[in-house]
Amino acid sequence: MQDINSFIKIGVDDTDSPYGMCTTYVMHKIIQSIEENGGKLYGFPNLVRLNPSCPYKTRGNAALSAAFIVEAGNESKYLDIATDMVFKLSEISHPKTNPAVLMLKGELVPMDIVEFSRNAVKRILNIESALNFMKKYDINGVAINGSRGLVGAMAALGYDFPSGYTYEIIAYRSENMWGKPRVIDRESVIKMDAQTQNCTFDNYDYYNDEIKIAPHTPCPVLVGIRSIDYKCLKIALKSLKFDESIVGYRIYKTNQATDDHIIPITYIEQIEPYTSITIEVKVKSLPSTEKGGHTFLYAEKNGKELRLAAYEPTKQFRNIIMQLRPGDKIRVYGSYNPKEGEPKTLNLEKIEILEIAQYGKFFNPVCPACGHRMKSEGKEKGYQCPKCKYRMTGSKELKFENRVISIGMYEVPSRARRHLSKPFYLTVKKN
Ligand code: ATP
């Protein structure tokens, strides 16, 4: 007997612009529409964060996919439904918005597409590979304003959560509220955070007193709550207090907080532009805070140098960087986005201090007659006390700094954390 059901997967990307929309909302509406037309959502939809260093991204580089059981022979009807929704909701008037929607038939994802997806989280990929997969595997779809969105839509189809997964419940606002300020009761967020502390994460930045569950963009999202388990999410959402009603919500399976974007490397020469890496290095210079409040220092490995940056938005994290000293052994995590005229610089997400070096500074000797710090008379000319004028030869005195920093992990505060960055205290589920 012929199977009356068929399995399809829809992938969508690049529907928003800095002025509005959110690809999760487009997928939410696609799911609603497909279900209204007889399709059945299979499992959680996937919210896949792609390479955070990708220069084409608008914000969080999200791509979405969802699987459905549909009536066999009618698959193209569901692709049409998804395409109509993408046309209806995407920010097509913005030239840099290149929406794409793709449909893969069958439950099995070809391994070369899986590899492509894994790479899309780590590296920069070309549109041709996505177009080739469309031909090779009969993947139908549409790209609008150019083909760039096909990369993300294809990556969303094939992603298999190789570094584990988390969840996010996203609640949407009614259209008349899009672009208006979000009024969220701070106390209700803190209470929810406390009540769900073994399940949700990154709800509130206690160091900087900031709500972390609401975006600051004019998009349809009211709040998003992240978790390691989906079971606590509906209760967490219901416990929040807002000044408006939500028009719908959905739980997504995500690669947020998994560190899947990080490529472990051994040598500084292996750092490629637009990637995020982890490497063990030795601190080479004293840290300094420069114009704009950005903190920098140099590290080295096998004679090659790397500049490390903790930018102003990382706030308290800069105080940790300021305590590093030449000779300290550290493991760094961060991304490299090349900028003209700038040395190779890693934008730090977190560091692990592995070894703390003894660090000393040389001082002029103290006057044996009156106890004042002496002044040098010039190279090899000895010292003179500025107070009592006592003179003597002698050498500088080495004073070791009392190092107060400890071995361990240090990371940027919640407000500056990338979607993909794993807080070091978190354990995520693995497939
Ligand atoms: P969101 O705001 O929904 O979080 P975003 O708006 O930051 O995401 P998009 O609007 O989806 O990002 O734009 C990212 C574009 O870059 C898409 O066209 C996508 O196909 C493309 N892209 C994403 N990752 C890669 C990659 N690794 N290599 C090449 N192109 C990529």
Side-chain angles (χ1 to χ4, degrees):
M1 208 174 75
Q2 202 179 333
D3 199 349
I4 54 162
N5 286 326
S6 172
F7 190 92
I8 60 164
K9 214 170 183 188
I10 302 280
V12 181
D13 195 20
D14 208 341
T15 62
D16 59 1
S17 79
Y19 308 105
M21 201 31 62
C22 168
T23 308
T24 72
Y25 182 73
V26 177
M27 181 52 95
H28 172 65
K29 297 304 280 183
I30 289 173
I31 295 168
Q32 271 183 355
S33 191
I34 288 184
E35 292 207 306
E36 278 159 19
N37 283 277
K40 194 171 175 337
L41 178 67
Y42 183 83
F44 289 104
N46 294 335
L47 161 54
V48 185
R49 297 285 176 182
L50 302 176
N51 184 350
S53 301
C54 176
Y56 316 120
K57 69 172 191 170
T58 316
R59 284 186 291 264
N61 209 4
L64 273 292
S65 71
F68 301 91
I69 310 283
V70 299
E71 193 191 338
N74 244 343
E75 293 87 351
S76 62
K77 173 177 122 182
Y78 296 100
L79 175 59
D80 290 345
I81 290 171
T83 306
D84 287 350
M85 198 57 81
V86 168
F87 266 105
K88 186 175 156 195
L89 294 177
S90 300
E91 291 274 299
I92 298 173
S93 58
H94 193 273
K96 285 192 175 162
T97 299
N98 309 147
V101 52
L102 292 173
M103 182 178 72
L104 176 73
K105 286 185 243 169
E107 270 175 86
L108 288 181
V109 181
M111 205 50 216
D112 43 4
I113 300 186
V114 173
E115 283 299 333
F116 175 88
S117 305
R118 291 177 182 178
N119 267 323
V121 178
K122 297 182 190 323
R123 299 188 166 79
I124 301 298
L125 304 181
N126 59 45
I127 299 167
E128 286 65 41
S129 311
L131 287 165
N132 288 340
F133 288 136
M134 288 178 73
K135 266 191 235 137
K136 187 172 170 189
Y137 296 112
D138 190 26
I139 299 171
N140 292 324
V142 173
I144 309 161
N145 275 352
S147 309
R148 165 94 33 225
L150 291 173
V151 174
M154 187 64 74
L157 286 180
Y159 191 68
D160 67 340
F161 299 93
S163 303
Y165 55 90
T166 59
Y167 296 92
E168 181 165 350
I169 189 166
I170 301 185
Y172 299 105
R173 325 178 77 182
S174 68
E175 201 172 332
N176 65 319
M177 294 303 287
W178 296 358
K180 293 190 182 148
R182 296 163 175 90
V183 184
I184 298 161
D185 179 66
R186 177 180 169 277
E187 295 313 313
S188 75
V189 178
I190 292 173
K191 203 167 158 197
M192 176 276 282
D193 185 53
Q195 281 169 348
T196 60
Q197 60 176 315
N198 295 324
C199 187
T200 65
F201 60 93
D202 259 358
N203 298 309
Y204 200 83
D205 184 334
Y206 292 93
Y207 287 109
N208 298 293
D209 222 355
E210 275 180 34
I211 291 175
K212 276 290 316 272
I213 56 172
H216 300 287
T217 50
C219 72
V221 174
L222 178 59
V223 289
I225 308 171
R226 290 129 197 264
S227 68
I228 51 171
D229 193 342
Y230 65 88
K231 292 190 197 98
C232 62
L233 283 175
K234 285 185 192 170
I235 298 168
L237 179 62
K238 283 208 176 104
S239 71
L240 296 177
K241 292 185 186 141
F242 319 113
D243 258 18
E244 62 187 279
S245 49
I246 54 176
V247 294
Y249 63 81
R250 197 162 291 280
I251 297 177
Y252 300 89
K253 183 176 173 182
T254 89
N255 61 346
Q256 290 166 171
T258 62
D259 268 354
D260 194 31
H261 61 312
I262 301 281
I263 306 170
I265 57 164
T266 312
Y267 303 109
I268 287 169
E269 303 88 294
Q270 292 172 302
I271 304 176
E272 290 170 26
Y274 309 110
T275 63
S276 303
I277 58 102
T278 178
I279 184 171
E280 221 176 275
V281 288
K282 209 172 226 181
V283 175
K284 190 179 177 193
S285 76
L286 283 171
S288 64
T289 297
E290 297 183 7
K291 208 172 132 223
H294 311 307
T295 299
F296 297 99
L297 87 165
Y298 283 88
E300 57 128 4
K301 178 97 182 241
N302 288 15
K304 291 271 184 271
E305 208 175 67
L306 176 65
R307 190 165 77 141
L308 307 177
Y311 291 106
E312 192 281 332
T314 66
K315 301 288 178 198
Q316 301 82 357
F317 180 64
R318 295 171 301 168
N319 302 339
I320 303 297
I321 303 303
M322 282 306 288
Q323 290 181 54
L324 293 172
R325 294 291 176 265
D328 287 347
K329 213 167 163 198
I330 54 176
R331 170 166 285 286
V332 293
Y333 297 76
S335 57
Y336 170 47
N337 285 38
K339 290 201 183 87
E340 227 181 280
E342 221 188 58
K344 196 177 235 189
T345 303
L346 203 69
N347 178 359
L348 292 173
E349 292 174 16
K350 56 187 168 193
I351 63 167
E352 183 176 5
I353 301 182
L354 302 166
E355 273 176 41
I356 298 171
Q358 253 198 344
Y359 180 72
K361 273 190 196 157
F362 285 98
F363 292 88
N364 290 345
V366 168
C367 174
C370 74
H372 264 77
R373 183 83 50 202
M374 301 183 85
K375 271 198 164 164
S376 168
E377 299 264 75
K379 203 174 172 208
E380 288 168 16
K381 287 191 179 140
Y383 299 90
Q384 186 180 37
C385 175
K387 187 148 188 240
C388 71
K389 305 297 175 201
Y390 180 83
R391 284 196 146 138
M392 67 171 204
T393 53
S395 52
K396 283 186 187 281
E397 182 189 328
L398 177 63
K399 264 195 160 179
F400 286 109
E401 200 178 290
N402 181 22
R403 305 290 311 275
V404 284
I405 200 157
S406 311
I407 281 174
M409 293 289 297
Y410 298 87
E411 60 189 340
V412 300
S414 185
R415 73 188 295 276
R417 188 164 22 243
R418 294 198 133 142
H419 294 290
L420 273 156
S421 263
K422 190 168 96 59
F424 62 79
Y425 58 83
L426 203 73
T427 308
V428 299
K429 287 189 180 169
K430 300 246 161 119
N431 282 325

